[in-house]
Amino acid sequence: MSNCRRTAAEMVSPGRGILAADESIKTMSSRLEKVGIAPTADARRAYREMLVTTPGIAEGISGIIFCDETLNQQLSDGRPFAQATREAGMLPGVKVDTGAKPLAGRPGETITEGLDGLSARLAGYAAQGAAFAKWRAVLRITDDLPSTTAIRANAHALARYAAACQEAGLVPIVEPEVLMDGDHTLRRCAEVTARVHAAVMAELAAFGVDMAGVVLKPNMVVEGADHPHRATPEEVAEATVDVLRALPGDLAGVAFLSGGQDPARATANLAAIQLHHTPWPLTFSFGRALVDPALTAWAASGRSTVAGQEALADRVAANSAAVRTRELQATA
Ligand code: 5MM
């Protein structure tokens, strides 16, 4: 088995998910400011140190995604983040895109950038100890969007990124996010998500990407945040798995993003999804749904490590239990 295949299998190993702590400097700074903390490089470092050193976190977390800044920082004991993450029993990963930028010719849509010089950067991250990488494409739903052009451009970039990752020995997390923003129905989200997946899979195949060395990070199929009716976990699970059925059977696994769902809803939906049988493991790669309570508790307690870590451990335990729903039901 290739290294990428082995790493990908470990990333989606039973009962474990991936922690997305890769907020860009801009996003992390604004989240710190919102909870009353000055957004310095050291505050961002201290916050990530609190997350990584959470006791027992590796039981429910297989890997942590960082941004470039964090990968170049050290914990207070001097260890680089990649080393500390491995020593805690998890794989370190890194976000390698440079963000979603306006897509020329398609007003209101974006293209995720970062392909220039990517191979050299990936080699550098691998030398720093990274095991996997992440690239996020962003698609927005309106009556007319996303356009086929934006879907195709983003799918193409994702595939070039994924092929470059595998050449560098890093597992690509392929994240095509269809945003929850808007008042669209669940059915419309399903239709758009299916179109996006079809385009991404076609481009991955065209670039010869080994699917058994890829972790897909999709949105769940949910209604728009402004839609008046909230779908039940069973409805979300059925619609989500229905869309995923078109994915190739040799894909290493699927790790959902939370997309702005509140933490309890993301966990309930994840648990309901597990009741469906699929050829690939289905787990979580949440950002906000895992870390928001921890950031709030850490800030409200005057940066108490214990308070932040207790809040994170709660969310990790709940989501780890969610992915083990069938096993837990069988033993109940
Ligand atoms: C943690 O946020 C990630 C990076 O965001 P920016 O580059 O925009 O700052 C983001 O890619 C994240 O990994 C995914 O969107 C999933 O996060 P959620 O919160 O949706 O689970």
Side-chain angles (χ1 to χ4, degrees):
M1 194 193 265
S2 75
N3 272 347
C4 278
R5 288 185 174 196
R6 230 185 329 269
T7 301
E10 189 176 338
M11 288 164 69
V12 295
S13 52
R16 300 169 91 203
I18 300 160
L19 169 57
D22 60 312
E23 300 88 347
S24 57
I25 292 176
K26 187 165 165 249
T27 303
M28 193 65 239
S29 297
S30 94
R31 290 192 183 156
L32 286 171
E33 277 178 321
K34 261 194 206 132
V35 293
I37 294 179
T40 61
D42 193 58
R44 294 189 293 272
R45 188 205 62 74
Y47 165 68
R48 265 70 175 247
E49 175 167 349
M50 179 273 291
L51 299 177
V52 174
T53 57
T54 298
I57 186 179
E59 282 165 36
I61 297 292
S62 59
I64 305 184
I65 318 171
F66 297 111
C67 65
D68 176 87
E69 178 186 59
T70 313
L71 211 69
N72 286 301
Q73 291 176 322
Q74 289 84 34
L75 275 67
S76 7
D77 62 12
R79 287 178 302 156
F81 269 82
Q83 180 190 340
T85 303
R86 284 188 186 269
E87 286 174 1
M90 299 170 288
L91 296 169
V94 59
K95 182 238 303 288
V96 300
D97 66 66
T98 55
K101 308 283 162 54
L103 175 59
R106 296 300 323 178
E109 299 194 279
T110 60
I111 177 73
T112 299
E113 295 189 346
L115 288 171
D116 287 354
L118 180 60
S119 292
R121 286 197 292 127
L122 293 173
Y125 290 134
Q128 281 179 281
F132 64 90
K134 195 203 85 173
W135 181 290
R136 172 174 172 250
V138 183
L139 286 312
R140 189 164 67 90
I141 296 181
T142 67
D143 287 348
D144 312 316
L145 303 181
S147 65
T148 302
T149 306
I151 292 174
R152 205 188 295 146
N154 278 287
H156 182 81
L158 274 168
R160 280 187 60 191
Y161 141 82
C165 281
Q166 291 188 339
E167 277 187 10
L170 298 175
V171 170
I173 293 185
V174 170
E175 181 179 2
E177 176 171 8
V178 177
L179 296 176
M180 270 177 77
D181 301 359
D183 62 359
H184 50 271
T185 61
L186 179 100
R187 185 183 290 265
R188 172 97 173 112
C189 177
E191 176 236 317
V192 170
T193 304
R195 272 172 65 208
V196 169
H197 287 186
V200 171
M201 294 304 137
E203 292 288 351
L204 290 173
F207 279 87
V209 173
D210 175 19
M211 295 307 296
V214 169
V215 174
L216 181 73
K217 176 166 173 168
N219 51 286
M220 296 177 189
V221 173
V222 287
E223 74 288 343
D226 298 328
H227 191 269
H229 170 73
R230 176 175 280 205
T232 64
E234 292 71 29
E235 289 167 335
V236 170
E238 198 178 325
T240 300
V241 175
D242 215 40
V243 165
L244 297 183
R245 294 244 178 256
L247 297 175
D250 57 346
L251 178 67
V254 173
F256 293 103
L257 59 91
S258 55
Q261 299 180 62
D262 71 59
R265 186 185 188 203
T267 307
N269 287 341
L270 183 65
I273 284 170
Q274 304 302 321
L275 298 176
H276 296 258
H277 291 265
T278 58
W280 354 262
L282 301 168
T283 186
F284 59 93
S285 175
F286 295 162
R288 289 162 287 178
L290 278 175
V291 300
D292 277 0
L295 176 59
T296 305
W298 185 65
S301 60
R303 291 173 53 160
S304 151
T305 299
V306 173
Q309 292 184 337
E310 278 178 0
L312 177 63
D314 275 359
R315 294 315 316 154
V316 170
N319 287 294
S320 173
V323 293
R324 287 181 294 121
T325 296
R326 269 191 283 148
E327 178 198 326
L328 295 174
Q329 281 185 352
T331 55

